[in-house]
């Protein structure tokens, strides 16, 4: 599978998981509906800044859109997260990628003060 098709597959999967349409993405990110359609249909591959916008929109990593993933090993069901852990993960994914290291350091500092 080429890069355009990998991206198209992953984008459609995220759209299904999050209940988003092409129109939703187009309006939320101020991207042409036809451009989004070309991505979904595997006709075009987005620039990396658009990949990052989409990843932030879905609260996922850029690699979740551009890499082939083994869905069995990435299944949330296999991780068996508690409800609180799931909420933390959801919130963490909403943090812009450039701020995630800072948040992790804050969490580590909070954990170290507990001991």
């Amino acid at each position: 599978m080429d890069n355009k098709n990998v991206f198209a597959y992953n984008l459609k999967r995220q759209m299904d998981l999050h209940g988003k349409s092409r129109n939703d993405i187009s309006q939320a990110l101020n991207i042409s509906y036809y451009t989004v359609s070309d991505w979904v249909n595997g006709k075009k591959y987005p620039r990396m800044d658009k990949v990052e916008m989409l990843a932030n929109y879905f609260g996922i990593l850029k690699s979740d859109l551009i890499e082939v993933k083994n869905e069995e090993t990435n299944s949330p069901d296999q991780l068996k997260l508690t409800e609180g852990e799931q909420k933390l993960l959801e919130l963490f994914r909403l943090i812009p990628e450039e701020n995630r290291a800072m948040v992790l350091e804050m969490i580590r500092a909070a954990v170290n003060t507990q001991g």
Side-chain angles (χ1 to χ4, degrees):
M1 197 174 338
D2 70 359
N3 288 343
K4 288 187 278 189
N5 288 321
V6 168
F7 181 82
Y9 175 83
N10 289 335
L11 179 57
K12 286 184 266 190
R13 184 170 182 275
Q14 292 301 323
M15 290 169 65
D16 289 343
L17 287 172
H18 292 90
K20 299 296 182 183
S21 69
R22 297 171 195 198
N23 197 44
D24 294 332
I25 294 169
S26 174
Q27 289 180 353
L29 301 180
N30 197 27
I31 298 171
S32 160
Y33 175 87
Y34 299 104
T35 298
V36 176
S37 288
D38 284 346
W39 296 340
V40 169
N41 293 322
K43 291 181 181 178
K44 292 186 178 176
Y45 191 84
R47 293 188 326 248
M48 200 48 65
D49 64 319
K50 302 300 187 214
V51 172
E52 186 166 357
M53 287 173 65
L54 287 163
N56 289 337
Y57 177 74
F58 289 119
I60 59 175
L61 300 173
K62 290 182 281 191
S63 64
D64 293 329
L65 290 170
I66 62 175
E67 294 178 3
V68 175
K69 298 286 183 175
N70 180 346
E71 291 178 25
E72 291 177 14
T73 59
N74 290 328
S75 170
D77 294 336
Q78 289 186 350
L79 295 177
K80 304 294 183 205
L81 298 176
T82 66
E83 188 175 328
E85 289 168 332
Q86 288 175 346
K87 186 62 180 170
L88 282 171
L89 182 57
E90 289 170 16
L91 290 170
F92 183 77
R93 288 180 171 168
L94 294 175
I95 298 168
E97 200 166 304
E98 62 271 11
N99 295 338
R100 289 180 180 176
M102 177 183 63
V103 171
L104 286 173
E105 284 304 313
M106 292 170 55
I107 292 169
R108 284 187 193 101
V111 169
N112 288 336
T113 62
Q114 299 296 315

